[in-house]
Amino acid sequence: MPEEAAHQDAVPDDVPLFPLELLAPPDPVRLPLPPPARPAPGVRLLRGAVYAVPDGGRPLETDLWLPEPADGPLPVVVFVHGGGWRSGLRDDVGPRFRHARPGPFARLAGSGTAVVCPDYRLSGEARFPAQLDDLRALLVWLRDRAGELGLDADRVVLWGESAGGHLAALTALTTGPAGHGGRAATVRGCVTWYAPTDLTRLAEDHPPGRFDPADPASREALLLGAAPAAAPGPARDASPALRVTPAAPPFLLLHGTEDEFVPCAQSDRLATALRAAGVPVEHVRVPGANHLWVGITEEEAERCFARTAEFAARHCGRGAGGQETGQ
């Protein structure tokens, strides 16, 4: 290249370089909150607030159901949806409550408790422990934005159904004061509905031949990236019943005795581990109930929700903070 042309192509010293920081994903703590909707009297809904931007993945969003007006910093219930870690909607408590008006979240908000319903990466997007990382990031985001949202980050109860119950339990058992990426909100209790709790013993708990721990296409294998039998270490790490310590918060476990998809013995295992560690636990076996509360009456399904709401109020209500004696 001629010397004159090379000189013309050179960037002058006084020309500013492109600000590469603009290419970084936005900080969710500084993103504007979505505009509010009002789906029920006394309830303000912020739908689709971004709480995390995983590297190489989609932004993760959460809905926030907030009482209006709010009486001081609000206790928080974080709901984690089910769907076999493979599917699901963040605002879906299951078919028994899908058409209720007002729905469970509006009812909790109407009683003075904020409800937070996050997305998380599904197994088709990322392997475990990405899902756990996402929920830990949510707890940090809640702490960071608590003042702006009027939330009390020291009064949080986790609640999940099916695979969401599994993730809620893992989060409650493994998130300390310094959470993923910063100081996390304080988990005061955890509720699980028909959740898997020990991925290493599912074959024992199912009827003979019902679950193959070597099946690479099972929901559990898709979560872990390999069948539980081929990945015993990750299967143990992803098992709440094997992650219990005396520092765990109180638990409420509800599970149907006739569950065909997640055997009731799975909740039995977590209850046993919690009791052995001296952790308060309320263990409710729901007679005749299959997965998703199939097989029981509307009144019985409503009692499961009422017990959940009562536990949340007791453990994240004003004055909560100490552990109470479980059943």
Side-chain angles (χ1 to χ4, degrees):
M1 179 182 292
E3 182 177 346
E4 181 178 351
H7 178 74
Q8 291 174 348
D9 291 340
V11 178
D13 292 338
D14 59 347
V15 175
L17 296 176
F18 184 85
L20 295 179
E21 64 271 14
L22 295 181
L23 298 177
D27 182 354
V29 174
R30 293 177 171 81
L31 286 175
L33 294 169
R38 288 171 173 80
V43 177
R44 179 165 59 105
L45 171 60
L46 306 182
R47 191 180 291 281
V50 174
Y51 76 85
V53 185
D55 185 33
R58 62 185 170 97
L60 298 174
E61 298 181 346
T62 186
D63 298 340
L64 299 106
W65 298 72
L66 305 170
E68 191 176 51
D71 181 17
L74 299 165
V76 181
V77 168
V78 174
F79 173 78
V80 188
H81 73 82
W85 308 285
R86 194 74 179 172
S87 62
L89 301 172
R90 63 178 180 254
D91 62 352
D92 187 11
V93 185
R96 299 307 296 267
F97 298 92
R98 202 166 284 159
H99 303 293
R101 296 293 181 273
F105 305 143
R107 290 172 61 184
L108 286 170
S111 70
T113 298
V115 183
V116 177
C117 308
D119 286 331
Y120 54 85
R121 282 172 286 179
L122 303 173
S123 62
E125 301 172 284
R127 297 176 181 176
F128 181 84
Q131 299 74 20
L132 181 57
D133 290 340
D134 295 342
L135 294 179
R136 288 170 170 169
L138 173 78
L139 294 179
V140 173
W141 183 86
L142 286 177
R143 170 75 67 184
D144 289 339
R145 304 201 75 163
E148 179 184 4
L149 291 165
L151 306 179
D152 188 339
D154 288 319
R155 295 189 290 152
V156 176
V157 165
L158 303 180
W159 165 32
E161 64 104 18
S162 196
H166 162 266
L167 294 174
L170 269 179
T171 304
L173 292 167
T174 61
T175 300
H180 178 74
R183 186 173 176 227
T186 304
V187 177
R188 298 292 183 190
C190 182
V191 182
T192 67
W193 285 8
Y194 39 84
T197 75
D198 188 344
L199 305 192
T200 71
R201 304 183 75 176
L202 280 166
E204 295 177 45
D205 294 340
H206 275 285
R210 182 69 184 266
F211 180 82
D212 180 2
D215 181 3
S218 70
R219 291 184 294 269
E220 293 75 15
L222 296 174
L223 173 70
L224 301 174
R236 286 192 299 270
D237 290 343
S239 295
L242 305 181
R243 304 294 297 270
V244 173
T245 71
F251 270 73
L252 169 62
L253 315 177
L254 295 100
H255 211 131
T257 60
E258 306 304 315
D259 197 317
E260 298 178 42
F261 289 90
V262 180
C264 192
Q266 285 280 297
S267 283
D268 298 344
R269 293 188 186 281
L270 179 54
T272 298
L274 290 165
R275 290 191 181 108
V279 178
V281 55
E282 302 171 40
H283 182 206
V284 182
R285 296 170 125 251
V286 182
N290 206 326
H291 207 62
L292 304 175
W293 301 138
V294 170
I296 59 176
T297 66
E298 294 297 324
E299 292 75 15
E300 289 168 322
E302 170 62 26
R303 280 197 289 273
C304 293
F305 171 72
R307 185 143 191 178
T308 299
E310 186 277 331
F311 177 92
R314 180 158 33 101
H315 288 284
C316 71
R318 284 185 174 82
Q323 291 187 340
E324 303 180 27
T325 302
Q327 296 180 359

